[in-house]
Amino acid sequence: MALAAAFTVFTACDDEKEAQKYQVTVKVSCEEADLSSMNSIKATALSETGKTTSVSADNGLAVLKLVAGSYTISVVGSDDVFNYVGSVQCVVTNSNIDSLSVSLVKTKPYGSIVFKEVYSTGVSDFYWTDGFYELFNNSDEVQYLDGIILGIVQCGYGSVSSWADEAGNLPSYYPMGSHTVYFPGSGNEYPINPGQSVVIATRAINHSARELGETDVESPVDMSNADWEIYIPSSTQDTDNPDVPNLEVAYSQFGFDFMPAVAGQALIIARLPKDSVMEDFIANNALKPEGQYRAALCIPNEYVIDAVDIIYYNEDQMINKTILETDDAGYTYYSGSDDEWTSPMYCGKSLRRKCSSVKNGRFYLQDTNNSSNDFILGGQTPVAHRSFTSAD
């Protein structure tokens, strides 16, 4: 299987002020499935500044028109059960390489419970405890939250993960950072209906009502009515809302709260097999490979049901993934600017998944196992339990 890109000069219009564009022809093929059996095939070019250009493929060919620059080109196909993903990096110039290649591989079946919205950037004056994580049942069947794990994946904070090998390859498991939490229940105590979501608050209080100092900024969220709360009993600085049920703490590595980096950090949702005992799993998967500072709970990627690779912002704008392509073929990011990728720390923005369709009043969220396609890049004002009347 190969993906090739041939480049020829293309001028978008006669307006001399418009940047010159180059035509990138992407040829798509797949060894694991017939392209004609796929419902759609889309190629997306993501520039180093965060701009995206997407086109559909016709008969396995997609034509992108791009200005000079560095890009990650990702291709996503889908049939009635699986997604098929592939990606390649390239530099578009007026004298480009003749061809590129990438493997388009089958990923896991469509997710049932997915991330709908993630908010962890905080607001000015270093207030970050107003974060929340909204999980959504994107299927047409009742799902159960019992035993589902929510975790923060350790990253390189702007560089390659220290858990990668010398060639930069990520392991087949995800080392968890901060605190890893999970829903209580014996299997069918906490149903989530089709099209329903639950909001998990870092702290279940009305953050928008806090007393502000002279330079403080009001938080955009009220989490006092959150569905669940992450309370860390061992912390001397965490607070507990007794009216909101708590997730269980599976493993604590560091910190006094559930804390993804405010500049961006990947998250996963995982579910263990039905015959697994959480305590035994934790004991058997707290690993400390040579070279690691401390042990971490490591969750095999086969248990992951959804992942969002939120790239940590760094001034050099280096893209360092911490999620395997089979779980997230792309990535998303927060940004402090609407025009380019800038530091998102304390910008008060969330990342939310796109709505793909609305049928008989029920909306469905986009799930191609590629965050570059599935999420609104850069972020927007957080809204818990957001509803949709039309597709994005």
Side-chain angles (χ1 to χ4, degrees), residues 46 264 308-312 328 330-334 341 351-352 370-379:
L46 178 62
V308 53
D309 204 346
I310 305 172
I311 298 300
Y312 185 90
D328 186 353
Y331 53 85
T332 186
Y333 58 87
Y334 295 108
W341 187 20
L351 293 171
R352 66 103 171 157
N370 186 321
S371 291
S372 301
N373 297 326
D374 295 343
F375 281 77
I376 302 295
L377 300 178

Side-chain angles (χ1 to χ4, degrees), residues 80-116:
D80 292 336
V81 179
F82 292 94
N83 289 310
Y84 302 84
V85 300
S87 66
V88 64
Q89 293 184 332
C90 69
V91 178
V92 177
T93 68
N94 59 0
S95 57
N96 225 306
I97 55 178
D98 293 332
S99 65
L100 298 166
S101 62
V102 68
S103 296
L104 194 63
V105 297
K106 179 191 296 183
T107 64
K108 297 175 181 178
Y110 299 141
S112 52
I113 297 178
V114 299
F115 285 107
K116 179 184 176 186

Side-chain angles (χ1 to χ4, degrees), residues 5-10 21-25 63-66 92:
F7 303 91
T8 57
V9 175
F10 173 83
K21 293 185 177 181
Y22 302 91
Q23 182 169 295
V24 181
T25 301
V63 178
L64 293 158
K65 298 169 184 176
L66 308 172
V92 177

Side-chain angles (χ1 to χ4, degrees), residues 82-327:
F82 292 94
N83 289 310
Y84 302 84
V85 300
S87 66
V88 64
Q89 293 184 332
C90 69
V91 178
V92 177
T93 68
N94 59 0
S95 57
N96 225 306
I97 55 178
D98 293 332
S99 65
L100 298 166
S101 62
V102 68
S103 296
L104 194 63
V105 297
K106 179 191 296 183
T107 64
K108 297 175 181 178
Y110 299 141
S112 52
I113 297 178
V114 299
F115 285 107
K116 179 184 176 186
E117 190 153 352
V118 174
Y119 170 52
S120 60
T121 55
V123 292
S124 295
D125 76 296
F126 310 106
Y127 188 81
W128 48 262
T129 60
D130 56 346
F132 73 83
Y133 313 89
E134 186 169 358
L135 311 188
F136 180 80
N137 181 358
N138 208 31
S139 76
D140 290 323
E141 299 178 352
V142 175
Q143 304 293 327
Y144 292 92
L145 295 169
D146 306 48
I148 281 186
I149 297 169
L150 174 64
I152 305 165
V153 182
Q154 287 192 36
C155 68
Y157 300 102
S159 59
V160 177
S161 170
S162 64
W163 292 75
D165 63 19
E166 293 182 355
N169 299 311
L170 298 170
S172 60
Y173 54 79
Y174 295 112
M176 298 288 95
S178 183
H179 304 277
T180 305
V181 295
Y182 66 97
F183 287 88
S186 58
N188 58 359
E189 296 178 36
Y190 299 103
I192 177 171
N193 293 319
Q196 180 184 356
S197 67
V198 294
V199 171
I200 305 164
T202 300
R203 294 189 183 178
I205 62 174
N206 185 359
H207 298 275
S208 64
R210 71 189 175 103
E211 184 176 349
L212 300 178
E214 184 177 349
T215 61
D216 295 346
V217 175
E218 181 179 312
S219 169
V221 300
D222 176 0
M223 287 287 108
S224 57
N225 292 317
D227 302 294
W228 293 84
E229 182 178 41
I230 302 174
Y231 172 61
I232 310 301
S234 62
S235 172
T236 59
Q237 301 184 52
D238 202 0
T239 59
D240 183 21
N241 182 343
D243 297 325
V244 178
N246 294 328
L247 297 187
E248 300 287 342
V249 179
Y251 192 89
S252 293
Q253 193 187 54
F254 63 84
F256 52 83
D257 222 327
F258 186 86
M259 303 186 308
V262 292
Q265 196 163 357
L267 297 159
I268 64 168
I269 307 170
R271 189 197 297 274
L272 303 184
K274 289 184 178 180
D275 57 351
S276 296
V277 177
M278 184 66 73
E279 290 76 11
D280 293 342
F281 171 79
I282 294 167
N284 294 331
N285 289 276
L287 308 179
K288 186 180 180 295
E290 184 178 353
Q292 292 302 316
Y293 176 68
R294 56 166 67 91
L297 176 61
C298 295
I299 299 179
N301 78 304
E302 64 187 288
Y303 301 147
V304 171
I305 59 176
D306 193 36
V308 53
D309 204 346
I310 305 172
I311 298 300
Y312 185 90
Y313 174 81
N314 57 89
E315 291 184 355
D316 295 328
Q317 297 193 347
M318 298 295 294
I319 305 301
N320 294 293
K321 282 179 62 62
T322 51
I323 299 294
L324 298 167
E325 286 202 349
T326 52
D327 295 315

